[in-house]
Amino acid sequence: MEWKNPLLLLFGIGISNVGAWVYLIALNLIILDMTGSPLAISILYILLPIATLFTNFWSGTFIDRLNKRNLMIFLDLIRALFIFTLPFLNSLFLIYLVIFLINIASSIFEPTSMVYMTKLIPKTDRQRFNAMRNFINSCGFILGPSIAGFLFIFGSPYLAIQMNSIALFLSAIVILLLPNVEIRKGDIISEKINLALIYNDWKSILKFSHTNIHVTLVYILFSIITVFMTALDSLEAAFATEVLSLSESTYGFLVSIAGVGIIGGSLVNAVFANKLKLNILIGLGAFFTPIGYLIFAFSDDFIGASIGFFTLTFFLSFANIGFLTFYQNNVPVDIMGRFSSVFGILEASLIVLFTVTIGLSAELFEIRPIYIIGSFAFLVLGLIINFIVSDKSKRNYYEHVKE
């Protein structure tokens, strides 16, 4: 494969990802400084799944019928514009409203970029590309907070926010340099988009799901992994600082160790992409990621917590890369936007439900037992996924694509 365009795409992803981390940290500090309320910060994290719920029932219909590259450029520019205005807003309500609009654009951008990547990258190279993409994202996981800290020293959180606006603008320029993957007649479908069309799209996705039960089941189960991780991660900082009595700086170092785990897992996958079958990747990730959470849940000091963090992120890389490649290889690219949007509603609903439930439980009871129970439930899910992906009659879904 000619790697010029994929590398350019990875560069754009990297710029956007680092900027997103800077934006997230800066936004937390700005809201905390304005309100002094942890609840006000929690609302930030709930706004994304709410935006997904608001968007996903109709967005897939647009994604599958519009030019993906042009839509990505438009969404990057819109997000850049809205983010640039944030430092000029004094009203908390207006800040939340603008963040909600930014999250709507992000909810559309994610499935759009997935469809574009699937069209751009040949099947034979998707697993290695996904490993490299995971590596780039993990670098952002480490570099983002570091760059944010540097900007806070020489400027302010508001400067960091506007730097993310510039990063998204640069990302749009990079995407502009990429090829148009929909150059054939018929790639863009000209239909009048209305409620009837959206309804028919939902019916077609449900029909595809019914006739491709294994693909749909694996997709839903992996979405539940995301749900468990989001819910448990909402207690992560409180567990580290209140239960393990770690300082904020030590907790920051712990997060960096998690980033090293993601990088390590991504590099292993990039090197051995042609040797690791997708069901093995998904199975290892689904089993050892909750094991990492359990190690963290039973830890009493920084060393134990570090081992847990490294374990869960190292093997999470396996799960992410395996699942992403499985999804790209088994869901037709012409319905991919609608498929991920429809089931994204289920994922977002469960995220809100599980996160609120585990948060309230932690308020009513002690954090450690709740975290342990959640981690064990996550492990049961991992065992179920291993049982399903190891079914020998379904091995054709996980085979390497030959040249």
Side-chain angles (χ1 to χ4, degrees), residues 214-215 218 278 282 322-330 397-398:
H214 184 76
V215 174
V218 173
L278 301 183
I282 295 171
F323 168 74
L324 186 55
T325 310
F326 168 86
Y327 170 66
Q328 290 173 321
N329 290 350
N330 291 290
Y397 289 102
Y398 305 96

Side-chain angles (χ1 to χ4, degrees), residues 164-209:
N164 184 40
S165 176
I166 295 170
L168 284 167
F169 182 75
L170 291 175
S171 174
I173 293 174
V174 171
I175 294 170
L176 184 63
L177 299 175
L178 289 168
N180 179 10
V181 294
E182 290 145 318
I183 56 175
R184 300 188 310 273
K185 187 178 180 181
D187 278 335
I188 306 297
I189 304 170
S190 299
E191 294 180 72
K192 186 178 180 181
I193 296 178
N194 50 34
L195 286 176
L197 182 62
I198 294 172
Y199 174 72
N200 287 331
D201 280 347
W202 271 71
K203 284 175 62 178
S204 67
I205 294 303
L206 294 176
K207 182 179 178 181
F208 172 83
S209 303

Side-chain angles (χ1 to χ4, degrees), residues 16 69-85 98 101-102 105-106 109 164-176:
S16 179
R69 188 189 66 166
N70 294 347
L71 181 57
M72 288 163 65
I73 293 169
F74 173 75
L75 292 169
D76 264 349
L77 293 175
I78 284 292
R79 289 188 294 173
L81 178 63
F82 278 133
I83 288 171
F84 188 81
T85 65
V98 171
L101 294 173
I102 293 166
S106 298
F109 185 91
N164 184 40
S165 176
I166 295 170
L168 284 167
F169 182 75
L170 291 175
S171 174
I173 293 174
V174 171
I175 294 170
L176 184 63

Side-chain angles (χ1 to χ4, degrees), residues 33-66:
D33 183 60
M34 285 182 67
T35 65
S37 167
L39 177 61
I41 296 174
S42 298
I43 292 172
L44 286 177
Y45 290 86
I46 297 175
L47 283 175
L48 182 57
I50 291 176
T52 301
L53 289 172
F54 178 81
T55 307
N56 277 31
F57 77 92
W58 54 265
S59 62
T61 295
F62 284 86
I63 291 167
D64 287 334
R65 289 173 170 82
L66 296 175

Side-chain angles (χ1 to χ4, degrees), residues 329-349:
N329 290 350
N330 291 290
V331 175
V333 71
D334 59 322
I335 66 164
M336 197 172 274
R338 283 165 284 177
F339 185 89
S340 60
S341 294
V342 166
F343 288 102
I345 292 175
L346 173 64
E347 180 180 314
S349 302

